Amino acid sequence: MKTKVIVLLNQFLDATNQDRFDVDFKDDKIEIIFWSLIKLENTKVYNKYKKKKKDFILRKNFVYIKSYTELFYKIYRLNKNNLFLNFIGQSILVNLAEYFLTMRGCIKLKVYKEEFYFTYDDKDKKVYQFKKIFEFGFLFAIKKFFHHFYKKIGLLLNNFIAITPKYFFVSNEYQLKECNAKRRKNVFKFQSMLITQSKRIIKLKRKFTKNFVYIDQEFENSFESKVTRNKFNLINRTKYWNCINSIFDKIEKNYNSKILIAAHFRRIKKSLPKINRKFNFHNTVELIYKSKLVIAHNSTAVFYAIIFNKPMIFLDFKILDSIALFNSKVTSGFSKYLGTSKIDIDIDYKYKIPYLNKFNLFKIKKKNYQKFYKNFIGFRSTSNKPKKLWLSISNNLNKITTRE
């Protein structure tokens, strides 16, 4: 009998997530089963997306848990020494699920995900960061402070009572160093899904184009904000997209290239802005690979541009800090670390595009890109190349189950 690997997440299954999580993975030792808790986390969001988004995919191993009764029943049916991992983060709901999974004799794995680790050593003080929120008004800042304090207390409490994993899977050098610094045992390497997806696209041998690509993040009304009920968003949708479109027009005119939009995969088509531009769904990685230049904010999709050595321009909208203070920090961090161009847009949507000749625009600092890759995407050592996540778990299955 195969060992079940239960993956807790709060996602819908579409073409992007199917590829991203390698949903169709088959193996002789393990069976990957996804439990989406999105309806239990936010019923309103679940119903809205189920009704309005038409690109969902059905798979037997991707299950939407619709009630606590169903959740506990599925846990009850599991045998001892099955595995589970958490792609959501800690919350009361997740802690509850993890607690009962552990009570059934299941083993928790911690899989490190891609984070913006390059900002962690930033000397920018938190006090200074917090002062920035007052740019949006005193009342907004006070409300934001209490919301942040409430969320922080909840996070600390949930992390305190969370089930402690004994087995850790890391996909880059930074994560490995963190585990070593904390003297963690049972640490296994795996190949980042970013690299796995990139290799798959390279094998297709698509032709390169002269197009630029913009990575859409749906900041104005994101899926994450809806799920977490984050109402701190001062973006004026019309001004925001008119500003972006204006920047696009000037870049296209100056460099004689067309800008394609890689739509955020969770965007509902009815939420598309009216800017007379096509939004391309579920092919972001391929668009980046074929492009001549990438325009972005702070999406993890930027990692693909680094893997493919693409020149980049970052758009740093100060208004995005009204959603979360790290937005501008991460965008600036990307640009600074990689040595790329950046356009600053103030809270009134005013900006200046720095002049760059074509030679400088399409030139990248390879050493910066390589350093980023070796620290935050892959590993410094090229020997014993790690396998993709599910294969790494399968290969180390005996080490995990026999130690329990």
Side-chain angles (χ1 to χ4, degrees):
M1 183 179 293
K2 293 183 182 181
T3 298
K4 290 182 172 62
V5 180
I6 306 299
V7 183
L8 303 176
L9 72 174
N10 58 357
Q11 305 278 343
F12 290 97
L13 182 59
D14 53 25
T16 296
N17 277 337
Q18 180 188 21
D19 186 40
R20 183 179 167 205
F21 296 124
D22 201 4
V23 173
D24 295 325
F25 174 81
K26 303 295 181 184
D27 186 73
D28 294 333
K29 297 180 183 177
I30 62 174
E31 178 185 2
I32 313 296
I33 303 174
F34 297 86
W35 289 358
S36 178
L37 307 183
I38 181 63
K39 185 172 184 180
L40 301 187
E41 280 207 318
N42 195 314
T43 304
K44 184 178 179 181
V45 170
Y46 172 83
N47 290 335
K48 179 180 180 180
Y49 277 75
K50 267 292 188 182
K51 181 180 179 180
K52 294 186 177 181
K53 216 168 185 311
K54 305 300 182 183
D55 54 359
F56 293 137
I57 297 170
L58 297 177
R59 288 291 185 275
K60 287 184 178 181
N61 66 326
F62 196 101
V63 182
Y64 296 98
I65 306 296
K66 298 182 176 63
S67 69
Y68 284 93
T69 301
E70 182 183 2
L71 175 63
F72 296 141
Y73 178 71
K74 286 187 174 295
I75 293 174
Y76 176 75
R77 294 188 64 187
L78 292 173
N79 296 322
K80 185 179 179 180
N81 274 3
N82 284 309
L83 313 177
F84 71 91
L85 54 95
N86 169 13
F87 279 168
I88 301 176
Q90 297 309 137
S91 67
I92 294 175
L93 168 62
V94 174
N95 281 333
L96 193 65
E98 288 189 353
Y99 175 76
F100 282 102
L101 282 164
T102 305
M103 289 291 289
R104 287 297 298 167
C106 296
I107 304 166
K108 180 177 180 178
L109 312 178
K110 177 176 175 60
V111 176
Y112 282 78
K113 60 181 181 179
E114 286 77 20
E115 296 278 359
F116 302 117
Y117 298 114
F118 56 92
T119 66
Y120 284 17
D121 297 326
D122 197 327
K123 295 179 180 179
D124 193 8
K125 302 296 182 182
K126 290 185 178 181
V127 175
Y128 170 73
Q129 279 283 310
F130 182 70
K131 283 182 179 179
K132 289 169 64 178
I133 206 69
F134 282 92
E135 296 178 13
F136 305 110
F138 181 78
L139 184 60
F140 179 87
I142 296 301
K143 288 181 179 179
K144 185 80 172 179
F145 171 77
F146 282 109
H147 176 77
H148 175 77
F149 181 76
Y150 168 77
K151 299 291 283 187
K152 194 71 174 179
I153 293 297
L155 180 62
L156 289 172
L157 178 62
N158 280 311
N159 285 337
F160 179 75
I161 64 176
I163 300 296
T164 303
K166 295 180 182 178
Y167 304 94
F168 305 87
F169 286 80
V170 298
S171 64
N172 62 52
E173 194 72 22
Y174 188 98
Q175 297 166 354
L176 182 62
K177 286 182 177 179
E178 182 180 302
C179 286
N180 291 338
K182 294 180 179 180
R183 297 182 178 179
R184 286 175 170 161
K185 299 179 180 179
N186 305 317
V187 178
F188 308 102
K189 294 181 181 180
F190 74 95
Q191 183 183 84
S192 169
M193 293 184 183
L194 297 167
I195 299 175
T196 303
Q197 289 175 294
S198 299
K199 286 183 175 180
R200 194 178 301 137
I201 292 297
I202 292 172
K203 285 182 179 179
L204 296 177
K205 297 182 179 180
R206 303 297 193 196
K207 291 184 179 180
F208 294 108
T209 69
K210 294 182 179 180
N211 297 325
F212 294 178
V213 170
Y214 168 68
I215 302 172
D216 169 42
Q217 289 186 246
E218 199 188 11
F219 279 116
E220 71 275 19
N221 194 20
S222 73
F223 176 82
E224 289 83 359
S225 293
K226 294 171 186 174
V227 173
T228 60
R229 299 175 177 86
N230 181 3
K231 298 180 180 179
F232 292 91
N233 188 334
L234 296 179
I235 296 175
N236 182 308
R237 177 185 173 87
T238 302
K239 289 182 178 180
Y240 174 74
W241 277 105
N242 284 344
C243 178
I244 289 179
N245 203 34
S246 171
I247 292 173
F248 288 174
D249 287 341
K250 291 179 181 178
I251 291 176
E252 287 175 330
K253 183 179 179 181
N254 290 343
Y255 302 104
N256 193 29
S257 292
K258 183 180 180 182
I259 295 176
L260 305 180
I261 299 177
H264 193 277
F265 65 96
R266 284 192 289 260
R267 181 184 283 278
I268 296 174
K269 289 191 176 182
K270 288 186 177 180
S271 74
L272 294 176
K274 298 177 181 179
I275 58 171
N276 294 321
R277 289 180 183 271
K278 181 182 178 182
F279 281 66
N280 301 275
F281 284 85
H282 303 306
N283 61 345
T284 296
V285 185
E286 184 176 342
L287 286 174
I288 292 173
Y289 174 69
K290 295 192 299 184
S291 71
K292 193 173 183 179
L293 179 141
V294 174
I295 303 170
H297 301 281
N298 52 40
S299 169
T300 51
V302 169
F303 288 26
Y304 297 116
I306 297 169
I307 293 171
F308 297 137
N309 287 318
K310 297 296 179 180
M312 282 182 272
I313 298 175
F314 288 93
L315 304 183
D316 189 3
F317 277 83
K318 301 305 177 186
I319 197 69
L320 299 182
D321 280 344
S322 67
I323 306 171
L325 283 172
F326 71 80
N327 276 314
S328 181
K329 183 178 180 180
V330 174
T331 303
S332 297
F334 265 128
S335 179
K336 182 179 179 181
Y337 197 106
L338 299 170
T340 65
S341 303
K342 179 167 70 77
I343 300 173
D344 294 309
I345 302 100
D346 66 23
I347 59 175
D348 296 316
Y349 303 95
K350 295 178 181 178
Y351 64 90
K352 288 183 179 180
I353 297 180
Y355 173 76
L356 283 172
N357 60 45
K358 290 186 178 181
F359 176 78
N360 289 330
L361 182 69
F362 300 119
K363 186 179 179 181
I364 67 168
K365 296 184 178 181
K366 285 190 176 181
K367 287 185 178 180
N368 296 39
Y369 276 56
Q370 290 170 356
K371 182 181 177 182
F372 191 102
Y373 181 95
K374 290 179 180 180
N375 284 324
F376 309 121
I377 300 177
F379 297 95
R380 290 182 178 275
S381 175
T382 56
S383 62
N384 298 323
K385 292 183 179 180
K387 305 295 183 181
K388 59 183 182 180
L389 177 59
W390 306 135
L391 199 54
S392 180
I393 292 175
S394 177
N395 290 345
N396 291 289
L397 186 61
N398 288 339
K399 295 178 183 179
I400 296 170
T401 55
T402 56
R403 292 177 186 176
E404 293 298 313

